[in-house]
Amino acid sequence: MTGRGRGRGRGRERAKKVPLLELAHARSGDKGDTANIGLIANRPEYYPILVKQVTAARVARHFKGMIKGNVERYELPNLGALNFLLHGALDGGGTISLKTDAQGKVFSTALLRMEIEGPR
Amino acid sequence: MTPRGSPPTIRIAAGQGFWGDWLEAPYRQVTGGPIDYLVMDYLAEVTMSIMQKQKSRDPSLGYAKDFVPLMERILPLLVERRIKVVANAGGVNPRACAQAVAATGRRLGLGGKLAIGVVTGDDLLPRLDELLAQGHELRNLDTGRPLSDVRARVQAANAYLGAWPVVEALRQGAGIVITGRVTDTGLTLGPMIDAFGWRPGDWDLLAAGTVAGHTIECGAQCSGGNCLVDWERIPDLANVGYPIVEAHPDGTFEVTKHPGTGGRVTVAGVTEQLVYEMGNPAEYITPDCVADFTTIRLEQVGRDRVRFSGIKGRPATDKLKVSIAYFYGHKAVGTLVYAWPDARRRPPIGCCGSACAIWDSSSRRS
């Protein structure tokens, strides 16, 4: 939970790194070979932080090696939520997958381990 | 019970979220307080092929068998309280399912008091070759590959039907509607269309009913089950209350549960269910409409009560999705038991692969 690494230097006070778990909750599901993660801000003021930092590219990096396709992101400001589609995430899909978590249920909480710069 | 001065509110209770769900739930929904409809979703993609296999061994099977004893238990209550049932328990053999329920009803002395509606037409297995011959390639939505690749191995093929066949059954006076592959959302939307007289083209209303259906389709998953927020303090999950939609003719509705039940209905928990199995949230495509989840407004309006409003929808597409299962080999998961003595040191000899590495590192400590 302590800020690892150096800040980008510009801001005088360095934002504290926190796991997403402290700012959001999540649930995932599956459709074919795509897993989805709905990431929901715990408070309305956290939503813009998620929008800014939890980009599709960052999520793709977070799950590098675990998914074969790209990551798409959709915004649901009305629910304070982001929806990520992780393509090629399930080894062919829930019914044929040899993954332990064949329906991708744990992608949600696995994402909550990602560290981002928390609110100041 | 239908239109004629539409009722201001109808109460639709979810009783099953999957085949094998808690069988007490529908009983408690019927007995725990007033409801108008009990809706039950039994079908997942893989369920259809399991049922088709059962039917190929015995032509009188191919549906959710546990639906029949459940009906036996609650039929007298349903008749007495005028509660209607909509369930896709029919699987790949809805007629046989309906016949079994009818026989049960007669045995209980309810003959003549019960109209059962059956929705068929989703089963495309007998028509597959005809469709292919007509030039429908039936391409896989993930891979884009045509069905001809795997045609010889196909076990089940079912189109997802929407709410309208359910509406038709209700309009013809059915008190129990048993369907094949009707969408999870259609089971809930159907009663709303029937009760409120919604029309094809009322896209916002149809989208609202679709969102209601999506919210309760997984049973307790929107009423505290599986919720990540404050989960340790969610009360009495062993007696979790399954969700109930209180729907209004203008497309607004509340999600709640019976008093005295466990679980919790909050904006946080409901939101988790809303994003579950979500694709593009602005285009939630069903046979009935395209619902826009970015228009949903949620509000906690009481304890265990969340209000939905503002929902917008767009016209349905001109296509139906088909769920096709084909044989792809075997998958088995097993457990090996190692007993004393030397249990921790023995597994590496008996198994292979990455699990061994884990065992290795732990056994070093013993």
Side-chain angles (χ1 to χ4, degrees):
Chain A
M1 241 173 304
T2 45
R4 258 195 298 142
R6 310 182 150 267
R8 291 282 141 81
R10 242 182 296 159
R12 217 143 273 155
E13 53 181 290
R14 221 169 279 158
K16 198 179 144 201
K17 288 255 186 190
V18 294
L20 265 181
L21 181 65
E22 292 185 12
L23 305 179
H25 57 118
R27 184 170 295 176
S28 49
D30 68 307
K31 273 281 174 272
D33 198 17
T34 299
N36 93 295
I37 305 173
L39 180 71
I40 307 152
N42 284 341
R43 297 169 177 210
E45 60 266 32
Y46 294 166
Y47 178 67
I49 300 174
L50 303 183
V51 171
K52 192 170 170 209
Q53 296 188 55
V54 191
T55 59
R58 265 207 81 181
V59 171
R61 275 205 304 281
H62 188 71
F63 289 113
K64 195 173 169 216
M66 288 183 70
I67 60 175
K68 291 176 178 157
N70 64 322
V71 172
E72 283 183 275
R73 188 182 90 165
Y74 295 96
E75 298 177 12
L76 293 105
N78 56 315
L79 301 178
L82 295 173
N83 187 42
F84 296 92
L85 300 189
L86 280 47
H87 297 291
L90 297 172
D91 191 23
T95 50
I96 60 172
S97 175
L98 294 180
K99 290 195 168 189
T100 311
D101 179 26
Q103 286 172 303
K105 304 287 188 194
V106 304
F107 276 111
S108 55
T109 44
L111 179 62
L112 296 179
R113 288 168 175 267
M114 179 193 280
E115 291 200 333
I116 65 167
E117 290 178 10
R120 281 160 200 256
Chain B
M1 293 288 280
T2 19
R4 209 60 54 142
S6 306
T9 299
I10 56 169
R11 292 171 57 92
I12 304 171
Q16 297 274 278
F18 60 95
W19 191 18
D21 200 356
W22 191 33
L23 279 170
E24 277 303 299
Y27 178 76
R28 292 187 182 192
Q29 289 289 51
V30 168
T31 55
I35 61 169
D36 301 300
Y37 297 87
L38 177 68
V39 298
M40 291 181 278
D41 174 36
Y42 285 87
L43 304 180
E45 284 73 14
V46 74
T47 314
M48 303 303 283
S49 54
I50 294 169
M51 288 175 165
Q52 198 64 259
K53 206 170 261 181
Q54 293 174 346
K55 188 184 170 192
S56 68
R57 285 194 207 113
D58 179 345
S60 71
L61 297 181
Y63 57 88
K65 268 173 80 181
D66 54 8
F67 179 70
V68 181
L70 167 67
M71 282 293 111
E72 182 169 10
R73 189 176 178 202
I74 64 175
L75 269 182
L77 291 165
L78 298 176
V79 171
E80 182 193 315
R81 300 178 186 193
R82 297 175 159 226
I83 298 168
K84 296 185 183 188
V85 170
V86 183
N88 56 17
V92 299
N93 204 349
R95 279 199 183 87
C97 181
Q99 279 159 6
V101 173
T104 302
R106 279 193 291 273
R107 203 151 22 84
L108 292 171
L110 297 171
K113 292 181 181 167
L114 206 63
I116 303 176
V118 182
V119 173
T120 60
D122 59 299
D123 190 353
L124 297 181
L125 195 56
R127 291 181 53 202
L128 269 191
D129 292 316
E130 176 198 331
L131 289 167
L132 289 169
Q134 284 170 1
H136 298 286
E137 290 185 295
L138 298 169
R139 288 183 176 277
N140 183 309
L141 281 170
D142 272 339
T143 64
R145 298 295 307 170
L147 181 68
S148 52
D149 279 10
V150 296
R151 171 63 191 99
R153 291 181 278 145
V154 168
Q155 312 262 320
N158 297 80
Y160 289 85
L161 304 182
W164 289 101
V166 172
V167 175
E168 182 59 31
L170 291 169
R171 283 186 181 158
Q172 289 183 31
I176 296 175
V177 182
I178 295 171
T179 79
R181 184 64 274 196
V182 162
T183 55
D184 320 349
T185 54
L187 303 174
T188 297
L189 173 59
M192 293 188 196
I193 294 173
D194 179 49
F196 301 141
W198 292 348
R199 292 179 312 260
D202 291 340
W203 303 118
D204 292 345
L205 298 172
L206 298 176
T210 298
V211 171
H214 176 81
T215 307
I216 66 169
E217 74 174 68
C218 296
Q221 207 172 240
C222 80
S223 53
N226 207 16
C227 184
L228 205 54
V229 175
D230 195 33
W231 65 273
E232 284 168 297
R233 280 196 291 272
I234 295 176
D236 200 13
L237 278 174
N239 292 298
V240 65
Y242 275 47
I244 296 169
V245 167
E246 291 187 5
H248 311 294
D250 65 356
T252 61
F253 60 93
E254 288 100 49
V255 172
T256 184
K257 63 188 185 70
H258 281 319
T261 56
R264 182 184 280 170
V265 180
T266 59
V267 167
V270 161
T271 304
E272 283 190 21
Q273 172 58 23
L274 282 177
V275 296
Y276 176 67
E277 292 184 340
M278 173 60 51
N280 178 350
E283 290 179 2
Y284 185 88
I285 301 169
T286 74
D288 303 304
C289 65
V290 176
D292 184 350
F293 278 49
T294 69
T295 60
I296 302 169
R297 284 202 304 272
L298 299 179
E299 190 188 349
Q300 190 84 39
V301 290
R303 191 178 160 201
D304 294 321
R305 181 172 285 271
V306 172
R307 181 177 156 81
F308 288 61
S309 61
I311 298 164
K312 299 283 180 200
R314 291 192 298 282
T317 70
D318 61 350
K319 292 188 176 63
L320 293 181
K321 188 159 97 173
V322 182
S323 169
I324 299 178
Y326 61 92
F327 182 74
Y328 190 72
H330 300 277
K331 175 172 155 180
V333 178
T335 306
L336 294 174
V337 179
Y338 290 89
W340 180 92
D342 303 327
R344 295 182 79 177
R345 285 192 285 127
R346 287 162 70 194
I349 301 163
C351 67
C352 57
S354 58
C356 294
I358 297 162
W359 276 104
D360 263 329
S361 57
S362 65
S363 60
R364 246 174 251 135
R365 265 176 272 132
S366 63

